[in-house]
């Protein structure tokens, strides 16, 4: 379980996170929802130990961030961190060298699934293909948690569907998934939980099926309530 | 065998619980004969992939169907549609009753005499029966 407790973060005078607490469970897909600038990416980076919090704590399976975290949690940023001159196969080799948890067979499977060409250069990928390559890099490792920052943003519908397909497949298996998004679109029925951020706080933290069951509302309905007031 | 048993064409609405929509889908398939008594159904994992939905939701839908006696799972063998005639009859009358109530609800405000409605239903039903191919088991 990823446990974020009372997270505070300031950029100069602006309070981005003002006491955010939530959990992301293994075997579930949790979605952090918020408008642009709501601190979603900051939270993912904070979980990975890439940015310090002003206050608060983050624990992954009870442990505060450590080096072992990188073998346990993979992070797919919203833009690839690979040098543009790399061929995709070089990118894969780079990952294999750095991560013990790298699973070569799964990487190959993902490359085929997304129809990516190993000889292409990272810098020449379209936005949709770059997003897919990001998913290959993030999902190929045998990690217990996967964090994805805006995996659907700016890519075409067909790629979205393909990426949605990954969420329901055994490529995710029993891992815990935490994704961020500012639009819910066609992924809403894939989510277990949604955490809605507003003004640096958690405005609502919902079990998606429960909200449909008890309130007859979609996640989008709940978003309207939160963000239109 | 038709293409993935036609599961792929399913679209969910966002306001009803997805697991209940899946249960409904199975009921419709049973009533229309696309799934028959005792037939083996896809595993939870397979159905999640086919319907592109969360595996936890598939799990929940199957649990609900087991509780309703719709499907039976024995040991490690695949889940099967029940052979219990009572359950199957009940599903049929449930879906039929629901459709008729929806229909009545949509014409209630028009204040039509019942006989006129019955005549119209009869007429449309016969036209539809002529136009449609004869009813049968599987798909295309």
């Amino acid at each position: 379980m990823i446990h974020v407790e009372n997270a505070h973060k300031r950029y100069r005078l602006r309070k981005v996170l003002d006491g955010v607490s939530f959990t992301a469970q293994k075997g579930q897909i949790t979605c952090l929802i918020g408008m642009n600038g709501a601190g979603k990416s900051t939270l993912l980076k904070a979980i990975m130990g890439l940015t310090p919090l002003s206050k608060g704590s983050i624990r992954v399976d009870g442990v505060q961030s450590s080096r072992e975290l990188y073998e346990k949690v993979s992070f797919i940023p919203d833009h690839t961190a690979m040098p543009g001159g790399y061929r995709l196969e070089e990118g894969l080799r780079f990952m294999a060298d750095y991560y013990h948890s790298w699973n070569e067979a799964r990487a190959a499977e993902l490359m085929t699934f997304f129809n990516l060409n190993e000889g292409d250069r990272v810098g020449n990928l379209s936005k949709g293909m770059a997003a897919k390559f990001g998913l290959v890099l993030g999902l190929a490792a045998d990690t217990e948690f996967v964090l994805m920052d805006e995996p659907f943003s700016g890519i075409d519908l067909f790629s979205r569907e393909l990426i949605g397909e990954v969420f329901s497949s055994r490529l995710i298996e029993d891992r815990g998934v935490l994704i961020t998004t500012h639009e819910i679109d066609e992924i809403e029925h894939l989510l277990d939980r949604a955490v809605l951020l507003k003004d640096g706080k958690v405005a609502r933290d919902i079990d998606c099926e429960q909200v449909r069951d008890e309130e007859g509302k979609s996640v989008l309905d709940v978003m309207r309530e939160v963000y239109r007031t | 065998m038709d293409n993935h048993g036609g599961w792929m064409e399913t679209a969910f609405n966002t306001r009803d619980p997805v697991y209940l929509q899946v249960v409904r889908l199975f009921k419709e398939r049973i009533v229309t004969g696309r799934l028959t008594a005792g037939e083996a159904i896809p595993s939870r994992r397979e159905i999640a992939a086919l319907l592109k939905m969360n595996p936890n939701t598939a799990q929940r839908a199957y649990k609900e169907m087991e509780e309703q006696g719709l499907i039976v799972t024995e040991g490690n063998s695949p889940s099967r549609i029940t052979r219990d005639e009572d359950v199957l009859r009940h599903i049929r009358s449930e879906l039929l009753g629901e459709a008729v109530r929806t229909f009545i609800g949509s014409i209630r405000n028009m204040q039509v005499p019942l006989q006129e409605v019955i005549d119209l239903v009869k007429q449309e039903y016969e036209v539809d029966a002529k136009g449609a191919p004869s009813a049968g088991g599987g798909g295309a």
Side-chain angles (χ1 to χ4, degrees):
Chain A
M1 183 174 74
I2 297 177
H3 192 163
V4 175
E5 206 172 354
N6 197 26
H8 285 73
K9 176 77 180 179
R10 247 173 214 285
Y11 285 118
R12 296 179 184 270
L13 288 175
R14 199 165 76 86
K15 268 190 204 165
V16 180
L17 303 175
D18 189 17
V20 170
S21 302
F22 69 93
T23 60
Q25 310 275 352
K26 211 182 257 182
Q28 289 199 347
I29 302 173
T30 305
C31 186
L32 275 177
I33 300 173
M35 299 294 114
N36 291 320
K40 306 182 296 286
S41 304
T42 304
L43 276 166
L44 294 194
K45 283 182 196 148
I47 293 169
M48 295 308 287
L50 300 173
T51 186
L53 291 176
S54 322
K55 201 170 117 189
S57 74
I58 292 172
R59 278 166 292 141
V60 178
D61 288 342
V63 183
Q64 297 237 9
S65 69
S66 61
R67 266 203 66 79
E68 290 84 68
L69 185 77
Y70 298 108
E71 296 293 333
K72 201 168 191 168
V73 186
S74 48
F75 176 44
I76 305 169
D78 58 352
H79 52 268
T80 179
M82 284 281 165
Y86 265 31
R87 292 184 191 280
L88 302 194
E89 57 193 346
E90 292 173 301
L92 298 179
R93 220 176 305 137
F94 177 92
M95 296 296 280
D97 285 345
Y98 267 82
Y99 295 95
H100 297 299
S101 56
W102 187 254
N103 180 334
E104 213 153 309
R106 184 157 334 114
E109 193 183 338
L110 280 156
M111 290 291 283
T112 311
F113 182 88
F114 285 128
N115 205 9
L116 292 169
N117 187 351
E118 291 202 330
D120 287 349
R121 290 192 194 275
V122 173
N124 294 338
L125 296 179
S126 70
K127 208 161 180 179
M129 283 162 81
K132 289 173 190 167
F133 187 55
L135 284 166
V136 174
L137 299 181
L139 294 174
D142 285 324
T143 53
E144 292 169 43
F145 294 95
V146 182
L147 315 184
M148 305 185 203
D149 198 5
E150 299 272 359
F152 299 98
S153 108
I155 63 171
D156 61 82
L157 185 69
F158 186 67
S159 302
R160 276 167 178 252
E161 279 177 1
L162 209 55
I163 292 173
E165 214 167 294
V166 172
F167 283 78
S168 59
S169 75
R170 43 175 210 85
L171 294 167
I172 292 286
E173 302 210 307
D174 300 319
R175 300 197 254 184
V177 179
L178 179 61
I179 66 173
T180 69
T181 191
H182 61 278
E183 48 185 7
I184 194 90
D185 286 354
E186 51 284 278
I187 59 159
E188 120 139 55
H189 63 276
L190 289 169
L191 307 177
D192 288 290
R193 299 195 70 86
V195 178
L196 284 76
L197 298 173
K198 193 190 179 189
D199 302 329
K201 294 184 161 67
V202 174
R204 283 201 70 178
D205 184 343
I206 58 171
D207 175 318
C208 302
E209 284 282 84
Q210 199 180 335
V211 163
R212 288 184 202 111
D213 221 344
E214 291 171 5
E215 301 177 35
K217 286 176 190 156
S218 66
V219 178
L220 191 62
D221 292 332
V222 177
M223 281 176 70
R224 283 198 192 100
E225 287 173 2
V226 167
Y227 299 115
R228 282 212 182 140
T229 48
Chain B
M1 267 283 152
D2 50 355
N3 172 31
H4 297 291
W7 293 105
M8 313 279 278
E9 66 221 28
T10 311
F12 295 114
N13 76 61
T14 55
R15 289 202 174 97
D16 293 318
V18 179
Y19 81 98
L20 290 181
Q21 294 184 57
V22 175
V23 174
R24 168 86 197 193
L25 187 63
F26 273 88
K27 286 183 176 173
E28 281 170 4
R29 289 191 156 232
I30 291 169
V31 171
T32 55
R34 292 184 80 175
L35 282 173
T36 52
E39 188 175 341
I41 57 171
S43 73
R44 288 140 218 250
R45 215 175 262 289
E46 283 162 359
I47 202 77
L50 284 169
L51 298 176
K52 298 194 184 63
M53 67 177 180
N54 190 312
N56 294 330
T57 310
Q59 172 68 28
R60 200 166 165 193
Y62 275 40
K63 187 164 166 269
E64 177 72 24
M65 291 197 287
E66 272 165 3
E67 279 168 11
Q68 292 189 19
L70 221 67
I71 61 168
V72 189
T73 314
E74 277 163 6
N76 279 330
S77 47
S79 299
R80 292 178 180 279
I81 302 295
T82 182
R83 292 179 198 274
D84 186 329
E85 292 292 329
D86 286 341
V87 174
L88 296 172
R89 253 195 309 275
H90 177 77
I91 298 166
R92 188 170 176 275
S93 55
E94 180 192 335
L95 259 57
L96 201 55
E98 220 172 86
V100 170
R101 279 190 294 279
T102 307
F103 166 64
I104 293 173
S106 67
I107 61 161
R108 171 127 292 161
N109 289 337
M110 297 183 197
Q111 320 263 348
V112 199
L114 179 60
Q115 193 54 49
E116 192 186 335
V117 175
I118 291 172
D119 289 345
L120 242 164
V121 168
K122 201 160 172 252
Q123 193 187 325
E124 288 292 325
Y125 197 88
E126 277 157 7
V127 170
D128 196 54
K130 259 178 238 154
S134 59

